[in-house]
mmCIF file of all heavy atoms in Angstrom:
data_model
loop_
_atom_site.group_PDB
_atom_site.id
_atom_site.type_symbol
_atom_site.label_atom_id
_atom_site.label_comp_id
_atom_site.label_asym_id
_atom_site.label_seq_id
_atom_site.Cartn_x
_atom_site.Cartn_y
_atom_site.Cartn_z
ATOM 1 N N ASP A 1276 7.920 10.707 -2.269
ATOM 2 C CA ASP A 1276 7.559 12.102 -2.041
ATOM 3 C C ASP A 1276 7.830 12.504 -0.594
ATOM 4 O O ASP A 1276 8.342 13.595 -0.330
ATOM 5 C CB ASP A 1276 6.088 12.329 -2.387
ATOM 6 C CG ASP A 1276 5.726 13.799 -2.343
ATOM 7 O OD1 ASP A 1276 6.081 14.515 -3.298
ATOM 8 O OD2 ASP A 1276 5.110 14.225 -1.334
ATOM 9 N N ILE A 1277 7.494 11.626 0.331
ATOM 10 C CA ILE A 1277 7.692 11.924 1.761
ATOM 11 C C ILE A 1277 9.174 12.111 2.070
ATOM 12 O O ILE A 1277 9.575 13.076 2.723
ATOM 13 C CB ILE A 1277 7.093 10.811 2.641
ATOM 14 C CG1 ILE A 1277 5.569 10.834 2.557
ATOM 15 C CG2 ILE A 1277 7.552 10.940 4.085
ATOM 16 C CD1 ILE A 1277 4.892 9.598 3.129
ATOM 17 N N LEU A 1278 10.008 11.193 1.594
ATOM 18 C CA LEU A 1278 11.441 11.260 1.893
ATOM 19 C C LEU A 1278 12.122 12.426 1.179
ATOM 20 O O LEU A 1278 13.146 12.932 1.640
ATOM 21 C CB LEU A 1278 12.123 9.940 1.530
ATOM 22 C CG LEU A 1278 11.664 8.731 2.359
ATOM 23 C CD1 LEU A 1278 12.309 7.452 1.842
ATOM 24 C CD2 LEU A 1278 11.975 8.942 3.835
ATOM 25 N N GLY A 1279 11.546 12.865 0.058
ATOM 26 C CA GLY A 1279 12.108 14.001 -0.663
ATOM 27 C C GLY A 1279 11.601 15.346 -0.168
ATOM 28 O O GLY A 1279 12.071 16.390 -0.611
ATOM 29 N N SER A 1280 10.664 15.327 0.737
ATOM 30 C CA SER A 1280 10.094 16.593 1.220
ATOM 31 C C SER A 1280 10.874 17.092 2.430
ATOM 32 O O SER A 1280 11.599 16.339 3.082
ATOM 33 C CB SER A 1280 8.631 16.417 1.587
ATOM 34 O OG SER A 1280 8.513 15.782 2.836
ATOM 35 N N ASP A 1281 10.688 18.348 2.714
ATOM 36 C CA ASP A 1281 11.329 18.925 3.911
ATOM 37 C C ASP A 1281 10.273 19.278 4.965
ATOM 38 O O ASP A 1281 10.482 20.130 5.805
ATOM 39 C CB ASP A 1281 12.151 20.152 3.534
ATOM 40 C CG ASP A 1281 11.317 21.217 2.832
ATOM 41 O OD1 ASP A 1281 10.157 20.931 2.471
ATOM 42 O OD2 ASP A 1281 11.836 22.335 2.638
ATOM 43 N N LYS A 1282 9.157 18.587 4.909
ATOM 44 C CA LYS A 1282 8.068 18.834 5.858
ATOM 45 C C LYS A 1282 8.472 18.324 7.241
ATOM 46 O O LYS A 1282 9.165 17.308 7.372
ATOM 47 C CB LYS A 1282 6.788 18.118 5.417
ATOM 48 C CG LYS A 1282 6.338 18.463 4.025
ATOM 49 C CD LYS A 1282 5.544 19.732 4.020
ATOM 50 C CE LYS A 1282 5.001 19.952 2.621
ATOM 51 N NZ LYS A 1282 4.275 21.156 2.484
ATOM 52 N N PRO A 1283 8.030 18.997 8.295
ATOM 53 C CA PRO A 1283 8.371 18.564 9.652
ATOM 54 C C PRO A 1283 7.829 17.175 10.005
ATOM 55 O O PRO A 1283 8.416 16.464 10.809
ATOM 56 C CB PRO A 1283 7.749 19.619 10.560
ATOM 57 C CG PRO A 1283 7.211 20.683 9.694
ATOM 58 C CD PRO A 1283 7.272 20.240 8.283
ATOM 59 N N SER A 1284 6.727 16.789 9.394
ATOM 60 C CA SER A 1284 6.118 15.503 9.729
ATOM 61 C C SER A 1284 6.655 14.352 8.873
ATOM 62 O O SER A 1284 6.186 13.224 8.998
ATOM 63 C CB SER A 1284 4.607 15.601 9.563
ATOM 64 O OG SER A 1284 4.277 15.893 8.213
ATOM 65 N N ALA A 1285 7.653 14.612 8.020
ATOM 66 C CA ALA A 1285 8.133 13.604 7.070
ATOM 67 C C ALA A 1285 8.677 12.347 7.767
ATOM 68 O O ALA A 1285 8.406 11.233 7.318
ATOM 69 C CB ALA A 1285 9.188 14.197 6.147
ATOM 70 N N ASP A 1286 9.432 12.505 8.836
ATOM 71 C CA ASP A 1286 9.986 11.331 9.530
ATOM 72 C C ASP A 1286 8.878 10.456 10.104
ATOM 73 O O ASP A 1286 8.900 9.233 9.964
ATOM 74 C CB ASP A 1286 10.939 11.744 10.658
ATOM 75 C CG ASP A 1286 12.249 12.300 10.143
ATOM 76 O OD1 ASP A 1286 12.609 11.984 8.985
ATOM 77 O OD2 ASP A 1286 12.909 13.044 10.894
ATOM 78 N N PHE A 1287 7.913 11.080 10.757
ATOM 79 C CA PHE A 1287 6.790 10.325 11.317
ATOM 80 C C PHE A 1287 6.001 9.645 10.210
ATOM 81 O O PHE A 1287 5.619 8.481 10.319
ATOM 82 C CB PHE A 1287 5.879 11.262 12.131
ATOM 83 C CG PHE A 1287 4.655 10.580 12.653
ATOM 84 C CD1 PHE A 1287 4.744 9.680 13.706
ATOM 85 C CD2 PHE A 1287 3.416 10.829 12.084
ATOM 86 C CE1 PHE A 1287 3.609 9.038 14.194
ATOM 87 C CE2 PHE A 1287 2.280 10.188 12.561
ATOM 88 C CZ PHE A 1287 2.380 9.295 13.615
ATOM 89 N N MET A 1288 5.760 10.368 9.119
ATOM 90 C CA MET A 1288 4.994 9.800 8.009
ATOM 91 C C MET A 1288 5.735 8.644 7.355
ATOM 92 O O MET A 1288 5.121 7.658 6.954
ATOM 93 C CB MET A 1288 4.684 10.879 6.972
ATOM 94 C CG MET A 1288 3.597 11.826 7.414
ATOM 95 S SD MET A 1288 3.301 13.144 6.226
ATOM 96 C CE MET A 1288 2.891 12.208 4.770
ATOM 97 N N ALA A 1289 7.059 8.735 7.233
ATOM 98 C CA ALA A 1289 7.835 7.639 6.650
ATOM 99 C C ALA A 1289 7.689 6.387 7.502
ATOM 100 O O ALA A 1289 7.530 5.285 6.973
ATOM 101 C CB ALA A 1289 9.304 8.038 6.522
ATOM 102 N N LYS A 1290 7.697 6.552 8.808
ATOM 103 C CA LYS A 1290 7.506 5.413 9.703
ATOM 104 C C LYS A 1290 6.080 4.863 9.612
ATOM 105 O O LYS A 1290 5.858 3.675 9.785
ATOM 106 C CB LYS A 1290 7.806 5.814 11.151
ATOM 107 C CG LYS A 1290 9.270 6.093 11.392
ATOM 108 C CD LYS A 1290 9.516 6.590 12.785
ATOM 109 C CE LYS A 1290 10.982 6.998 12.946
ATOM 110 N NZ LYS A 1290 11.222 7.695 14.204
ATOM 111 N N LEU A 1291 5.138 5.730 9.313
ATOM 112 C CA LEU A 1291 3.743 5.327 9.201
ATOM 113 C C LEU A 1291 3.473 4.579 7.895
ATOM 114 O O LEU A 1291 2.743 3.600 7.872
ATOM 115 C CB LEU A 1291 2.865 6.580 9.287
ATOM 116 C CG LEU A 1291 1.387 6.433 9.501
ATOM 117 C CD1 LEU A 1291 1.120 5.821 10.866
ATOM 118 C CD2 LEU A 1291 0.718 7.793 9.397
ATOM 119 N N TYR A 1292 4.101 5.010 6.798
ATOM 120 C CA TYR A 1292 3.845 4.429 5.483
ATOM 121 C C TYR A 1292 4.725 3.219 5.166
ATOM 122 O O TYR A 1292 4.335 2.359 4.395
ATOM 123 C CB TYR A 1292 4.042 5.490 4.389
ATOM 124 C CG TYR A 1292 2.877 6.434 4.221
ATOM 125 C CD1 TYR A 1292 2.582 7.406 5.175
ATOM 126 C CD2 TYR A 1292 2.078 6.372 3.103
ATOM 127 C CE1 TYR A 1292 1.535 8.281 5.018
ATOM 128 C CE2 TYR A 1292 1.016 7.241 2.919
ATOM 129 C CZ TYR A 1292 0.750 8.198 3.889
ATOM 130 O OH TYR A 1292 -0.308 9.057 3.713
ATOM 131 N N SER A 1293 5.960 3.150 5.717
ATOM 132 C CA SER A 1293 6.882 2.060 5.353
ATOM 133 C C SER A 1293 6.390 0.654 5.628
ATOM 134 O O SER A 1293 6.688 -0.235 4.844
ATOM 135 C CB SER A 1293 8.238 2.184 6.014
ATOM 136 O OG SER A 1293 8.511 3.352 6.556
ATOM 137 N N PRO A 1294 5.661 0.390 6.699
ATOM 138 C CA PRO A 1294 5.197 -0.983 6.903
ATOM 139 C C PRO A 1294 4.336 -1.517 5.758
ATOM 140 O O PRO A 1294 4.253 -2.718 5.552
ATOM 141 C CB PRO A 1294 4.383 -0.905 8.201
ATOM 142 C CG PRO A 1294 4.923 0.279 8.920
ATOM 143 C CD PRO A 1294 5.347 1.235 7.867
ATOM 144 N N PHE A 1295 3.737 -0.616 4.990
ATOM 145 C CA PHE A 1295 2.894 -1.072 3.886
ATOM 146 C C PHE A 1295 3.722 -1.670 2.740
ATOM 147 O O PHE A 1295 3.225 -2.500 1.987
ATOM 148 C CB PHE A 1295 1.981 0.055 3.399
ATOM 149 C CG PHE A 1295 0.904 0.355 4.390
ATOM 150 C CD1 PHE A 1295 1.036 1.414 5.278
ATOM 151 C CD2 PHE A 1295 -0.221 -0.445 4.485
ATOM 152 C CE1 PHE A 1295 0.054 1.677 6.222
ATOM 153 C CE2 PHE A 1295 -1.208 -0.199 5.427
ATOM 154 C CZ PHE A 1295 -1.065 0.863 6.293
ATOM 155 N N ILE A 1296 4.982 -1.265 2.635
ATOM 156 C CA ILE A 1296 5.851 -1.911 1.638
ATOM 157 C C ILE A 1296 6.149 -3.333 2.102
ATOM 158 O O ILE A 1296 6.106 -4.274 1.305
ATOM 159 C CB ILE A 1296 7.139 -1.097 1.413
ATOM 160 C CG1 ILE A 1296 6.787 0.185 0.656
ATOM 161 C CG2 ILE A 1296 8.175 -1.913 0.647
ATOM 162 C CD1 ILE A 1296 7.924 1.038 0.243
ATOM 163 N N ALA A 1297 6.446 -3.502 3.386
ATOM 164 C CA ALA A 1297 6.683 -4.848 3.920
ATOM 165 C C ALA A 1297 5.423 -5.701 3.797
ATOM 166 O O ALA A 1297 5.498 -6.886 3.432
ATOM 167 C CB ALA A 1297 7.127 -4.762 5.378
ATOM 168 N N LEU A 1298 4.276 -5.113 4.051
ATOM 169 C CA LEU A 1298 3.011 -5.835 3.902
ATOM 170 C C LEU A 1298 2.801 -6.265 2.451
ATOM 171 O O LEU A 1298 2.393 -7.393 2.181
ATOM 172 C CB LEU A 1298 1.846 -4.964 4.365
ATOM 173 C CG LEU A 1298 0.449 -5.486 4.052
ATOM 174 C CD1 LEU A 1298 0.190 -6.789 4.786
ATOM 175 C CD2 LEU A 1298 -0.583 -4.451 4.412
ATOM 176 N N GLY A 1299 3.089 -5.375 1.522
ATOM 177 C CA GLY A 1299 2.966 -5.713 0.107
ATOM 178 C C GLY A 1299 3.905 -6.843 -0.284
ATOM 179 O O GLY A 1299 3.519 -7.768 -1.009
ATOM 180 N N ALA A 1300 5.144 -6.787 0.221
ATOM 181 C CA ALA A 1300 6.111 -7.847 -0.082
ATOM 182 C C ALA A 1300 5.658 -9.181 0.509
ATOM 183 O O ALA A 1300 5.756 -10.227 -0.151
ATOM 184 C CB ALA A 1300 7.489 -7.467 0.458
ATOM 185 N N LEU A 1301 5.145 -9.151 1.727
ATOM 186 C CA LEU A 1301 4.641 -10.376 2.354
ATOM 187 C C LEU A 1301 3.457 -10.945 1.569
ATOM 188 O O LEU A 1301 3.350 -12.156 1.385
ATOM 189 C CB LEU A 1301 4.227 -10.091 3.805
ATOM 190 C CG LEU A 1301 3.757 -11.287 4.626
ATOM 191 C CD1 LEU A 1301 4.882 -12.300 4.796
ATOM 192 C CD2 LEU A 1301 3.253 -10.820 5.986
ATOM 193 N N THR A 1302 2.599 -10.068 1.077
ATOM 194 C CA THR A 1302 1.441 -10.515 0.297
ATOM 195 C C THR A 1302 1.883 -11.140 -1.023
ATOM 196 O O THR A 1302 1.349 -12.168 -1.443
ATOM 197 C CB THR A 1302 0.470 -9.345 0.042
ATOM 198 O OG1 THR A 1302 0.182 -8.709 1.281
ATOM 199 C CG2 THR A 1302 -0.819 -9.835 -0.566
ATOM 200 N N VAL A 1303 2.884 -10.533 -1.672
ATOM 201 C CA VAL A 1303 3.414 -11.106 -2.922
ATOM 202 C C VAL A 1303 4.030 -12.475 -2.645
ATOM 203 O O VAL A 1303 3.773 -13.441 -3.368
ATOM 204 C CB VAL A 1303 4.446 -10.159 -3.572
ATOM 205 C CG1 VAL A 1303 5.233 -10.864 -4.668
ATOM 206 C CG2 VAL A 1303 3.753 -8.930 -4.139
ATOM 207 N N LEU A 1304 4.827 -12.566 -1.581
ATOM 208 C CA LEU A 1304 5.437 -13.864 -1.238
ATOM 209 C C LEU A 1304 4.365 -14.906 -0.938
ATOM 210 O O LEU A 1304 4.478 -16.064 -1.352
ATOM 211 C CB LEU A 1304 6.374 -13.713 -0.038
ATOM 212 C CG LEU A 1304 7.663 -12.947 -0.312
ATOM 213 C CD1 LEU A 1304 8.439 -12.723 0.986
ATOM 214 C CD2 LEU A 1304 8.522 -13.682 -1.331
ATOM 215 N N ARG A 1305 3.295 -14.501 -0.252
ATOM 216 C CA ARG A 1305 2.202 -15.438 0.031
ATOM 217 C C ARG A 1305 1.530 -15.897 -1.263
ATOM 218 O O ARG A 1305 1.141 -17.045 -1.403
ATOM 219 C CB ARG A 1305 1.180 -14.762 0.956
ATOM 220 C CG ARG A 1305 -0.075 -15.583 1.225
ATOM 221 C CD ARG A 1305 0.263 -16.906 1.896
ATOM 222 N NE ARG A 1305 -0.909 -17.714 2.076
ATOM 223 C CZ ARG A 1305 -1.393 -18.582 1.158
ATOM 224 N NH1 ARG A 1305 -0.784 -18.727 0.002
ATOM 225 N NH2 ARG A 1305 -2.450 -19.313 1.423
ATOM 226 N N GLY A 1306 1.443 -14.988 -2.224
ATOM 227 C CA GLY A 1306 0.861 -15.344 -3.507
ATOM 228 C C GLY A 1306 1.728 -16.289 -4.313
ATOM 229 O O GLY A 1306 1.237 -17.038 -5.158
ATOM 230 N N LEU A 1307 3.029 -16.280 -4.050
ATOM 231 C CA LEU A 1307 3.952 -17.147 -4.783
ATOM 232 C C LEU A 1307 4.057 -18.549 -4.193
ATOM 233 O O LEU A 1307 4.551 -19.456 -4.840
ATOM 234 C CB LEU A 1307 5.344 -16.517 -4.835
ATOM 235 C CG LEU A 1307 5.467 -15.248 -5.676
ATOM 236 C CD1 LEU A 1307 6.838 -14.622 -5.487
ATOM 237 C CD2 LEU A 1307 5.174 -15.535 -7.131
ATOM 238 N N VAL A 1308 3.597 -18.720 -2.962
ATOM 239 C CA VAL A 1308 3.662 -20.028 -2.307
ATOM 240 C C VAL A 1308 2.544 -20.908 -2.860
ATOM 241 O O VAL A 1308 1.364 -20.567 -2.742
ATOM 242 C CB VAL A 1308 3.507 -19.890 -0.775
ATOM 243 C CG1 VAL A 1308 3.410 -21.247 -0.105
ATOM 244 C CG2 VAL A 1308 4.660 -19.100 -0.198
ATOM 245 N N PRO A 1309 2.910 -22.020 -3.467
ATOM 246 C CA PRO A 1309 1.858 -22.892 -4.015
ATOM 247 C C PRO A 1309 1.071 -23.574 -2.896
ATOM 248 O O PRO A 1309 1.600 -23.836 -1.820
ATOM 249 C CB PRO A 1309 2.628 -23.909 -4.841
ATOM 250 C CG PRO A 1309 3.991 -23.934 -4.259
ATOM 251 C CD PRO A 1309 4.239 -22.565 -3.694
ATOM 252 N N GLN A 1310 -0.198 -23.825 -3.180
ATOM 253 C CA GLN A 1310 -1.027 -24.551 -2.218
ATOM 254 C C GLN A 1310 -0.659 -26.025 -2.276
ATOM 255 O O GLN A 1310 -0.638 -26.611 -3.342
ATOM 256 C CB GLN A 1310 -2.510 -24.377 -2.566
ATOM 257 C CG GLN A 1310 -2.999 -22.956 -2.449
ATOM 258 C CD GLN A 1310 -2.997 -22.453 -1.023
ATOM 259 O OE1 GLN A 1310 -3.191 -23.207 -0.093
ATOM 260 N NE2 GLN A 1310 -2.741 -21.177 -0.853
ATOM 261 N N ARG A 1311 -0.384 -26.597 -1.162
ATOM 262 C CA ARG A 1311 -0.057 -28.015 -1.100
ATOM 263 C C ARG A 1311 -1.308 -28.791 -0.694
ATOM 264 O O ARG A 1311 -1.928 -28.493 0.311
ATOM 265 C CB ARG A 1311 1.037 -28.274 -0.089
ATOM 266 C CG ARG A 1311 2.296 -27.495 -0.379
ATOM 267 C CD ARG A 1311 3.500 -28.392 -0.208
ATOM 268 N NE ARG A 1311 4.753 -27.702 -0.233
ATOM 269 C CZ ARG A 1311 5.335 -27.209 -1.315
ATOM 270 N NH1 ARG A 1311 4.730 -27.266 -2.463
ATOM 271 N NH2 ARG A 1311 6.508 -26.627 -1.251
ATOM 272 N N GLY A 1312 -1.673 -29.767 -1.480
ATOM 273 C CA GLY A 1312 -2.843 -30.583 -1.149
ATOM 274 C C GLY A 1312 -4.110 -29.766 -1.215
ATOM 275 O O GLY A 1312 -4.209 -28.773 -1.911
ATOM 276 N N THR A 1313 -5.067 -30.143 -0.456
ATOM 277 C CA THR A 1313 -6.341 -29.442 -0.436
ATOM 278 C C THR A 1313 -6.354 -28.485 0.740
ATOM 279 O O THR A 1313 -6.103 -28.877 1.868
ATOM 280 C CB THR A 1313 -7.500 -30.450 -0.261
ATOM 281 O OG1 THR A 1313 -7.234 -31.612 -1.026
ATOM 282 C CG2 THR A 1313 -8.793 -29.834 -0.709
ATOM 283 N N ALA A 1314 -6.619 -27.241 0.449
ATOM 284 C CA ALA A 1314 -6.693 -26.244 1.506
ATOM 285 C C ALA A 1314 -7.981 -26.428 2.288
ATOM 286 O O ALA A 1314 -9.014 -26.749 1.729
ATOM 287 C CB ALA A 1314 -6.637 -24.843 0.906
ATOM 288 N N THR A 1315 -7.891 -26.236 3.579
ATOM 289 C CA THR A 1315 -9.066 -26.353 4.434
ATOM 290 C C THR A 1315 -9.659 -24.969 4.627
ATOM 291 O O THR A 1315 -8.976 -24.072 5.110
ATOM 292 C CB THR A 1315 -8.681 -26.935 5.809
ATOM 293 O OG1 THR A 1315 -8.004 -28.153 5.598
ATOM 294 C CG2 THR A 1315 -9.910 -27.136 6.660
ATOM 295 N N PRO A 1316 -10.912 -24.766 4.234
ATOM 296 C CA PRO A 1316 -11.516 -23.452 4.419
ATOM 297 C C PRO A 1316 -11.743 -23.157 5.897
ATOM 298 O O PRO A 1316 -11.989 -24.057 6.686
ATOM 299 C CB PRO A 1316 -12.830 -23.544 3.658
ATOM 300 C CG PRO A 1316 -13.125 -24.998 3.570
ATOM 301 C CD PRO A 1316 -11.805 -25.712 3.603
ATOM 302 N N ILE A 1317 -11.646 -21.891 6.241
ATOM 303 C CA ILE A 1317 -11.889 -21.485 7.617
ATOM 304 C C ILE A 1317 -13.383 -21.422 7.874
ATOM 305 O O ILE A 1317 -13.857 -21.756 8.944
ATOM 306 C CB ILE A 1317 -11.201 -20.136 7.900
ATOM 307 C CG1 ILE A 1317 -9.691 -20.301 7.736
ATOM 308 C CG2 ILE A 1317 -11.542 -19.609 9.278
ATOM 309 C CD1 ILE A 1317 -8.902 -19.035 7.827
ATOM 310 N N ILE A 1318 -14.135 -20.982 6.868
ATOM 311 C CA ILE A 1318 -15.595 -20.969 6.990
ATOM 312 C C ILE A 1318 -16.183 -21.758 5.838
ATOM 313 O O ILE A 1318 -15.568 -21.882 4.782
ATOM 314 C CB ILE A 1318 -16.169 -19.538 7.006
ATOM 315 C CG1 ILE A 1318 -15.823 -18.802 5.722
ATOM 316 C CG2 ILE A 1318 -15.730 -18.780 8.222
ATOM 317 C CD1 ILE A 1318 -16.477 -17.454 5.591
ATOM 318 N N GLY A 1319 -17.342 -22.282 5.983
ATOM 319 C CA GLY A 1319 -17.977 -23.063 4.923
ATOM 320 C C GLY A 1319 -17.294 -24.408 4.749
ATOM 321 O O GLY A 1319 -16.442 -24.805 5.530
ATOM 322 N N ASN A 1320 -17.668 -25.090 3.718
ATOM 323 C CA ASN A 1320 -17.069 -26.388 3.438
ATOM 324 C C ASN A 1320 -16.210 -26.373 2.190
ATOM 325 O O ASN A 1320 -15.790 -27.400 1.702
ATOM 326 C CB ASN A 1320 -18.159 -27.455 3.297
ATOM 327 C CG ASN A 1320 -18.869 -27.701 4.607
ATOM 328 O OD1 ASN A 1320 -18.246 -27.606 5.660
ATOM 329 N ND2 ASN A 1320 -20.157 -27.986 4.565
ATOM 330 N N GLY A 1321 -15.966 -25.207 1.627
ATOM 331 C CA GLY A 1321 -15.088 -25.087 0.481
ATOM 332 C C GLY A 1321 -15.790 -25.378 -0.831
ATOM 333 O O GLY A 1321 -16.975 -25.652 -0.878
ATOM 334 N N PRO A 1322 -15.010 -25.288 -1.912
ATOM 335 C CA PRO A 1322 -15.600 -25.475 -3.238
ATOM 336 C C PRO A 1322 -16.122 -26.884 -3.417
ATOM 337 O O PRO A 1322 -15.511 -27.862 -2.999
ATOM 338 C CB PRO A 1322 -14.458 -25.164 -4.186
ATOM 339 C CG PRO A 1322 -13.221 -25.152 -3.367
ATOM 340 C CD PRO A 1322 -13.617 -24.988 -1.945
ATOM 341 N N GLY A 1323 -17.267 -26.999 -4.044
ATOM 342 C CA GLY A 1323 -17.825 -28.308 -4.344
ATOM 343 C C GLY A 1323 -18.405 -29.038 -3.162
ATOM 344 O O GLY A 1323 -18.624 -30.227 -3.201
ATOM 345 N N SER A 1324 -18.666 -28.310 -2.084
ATOM 346 C CA SER A 1324 -19.160 -28.993 -0.876
ATOM 347 C C SER A 1324 -20.569 -29.545 -1.069
ATOM 348 O O SER A 1324 -20.972 -30.429 -0.339
ATOM 349 C CB SER A 1324 -19.129 -28.043 0.316
ATOM 350 O OG SER A 1324 -19.994 -26.960 0.084
ATOM 351 N N ASP A 1325 -21.287 -28.984 -2.034
ATOM 352 C CA ASP A 1325 -22.648 -29.446 -2.237
ATOM 353 C C ASP A 1325 -22.720 -30.656 -3.170
ATOM 354 O O ASP A 1325 -23.773 -31.229 -3.373
ATOM 355 C CB ASP A 1325 -23.527 -28.323 -2.751
ATOM 356 C CG ASP A 1325 -22.994 -27.723 -4.049
ATOM 357 O OD1 ASP A 1325 -21.809 -27.963 -4.355
ATOM 358 O OD2 ASP A 1325 -23.759 -27.016 -4.731
#
Side-chain angles (χ1 to χ4, degrees):
D1276 188 77
I1277 291 167
L1278 295 175
S1280 78
D1281 57 350
K1282 305 277 186 182
S1284 62
D1286 288 337
F1287 176 73
M1288 285 177 58
K1290 291 175 186 170
L1291 193 65
Y1292 280 71
S1293 345
F1295 289 98
I1296 289 185
L1298 170 64
L1301 184 63
T1302 309
V1303 167
L1304 290 174
R1305 175 60 184 88
L1307 292 172
V1308 173
Q1310 296 293 328
R1311 302 224 190 286
T1313 320
T1315 305
I1317 297 173
I1318 60 173
N1320 293 327
S1324 63
D1325 57 343

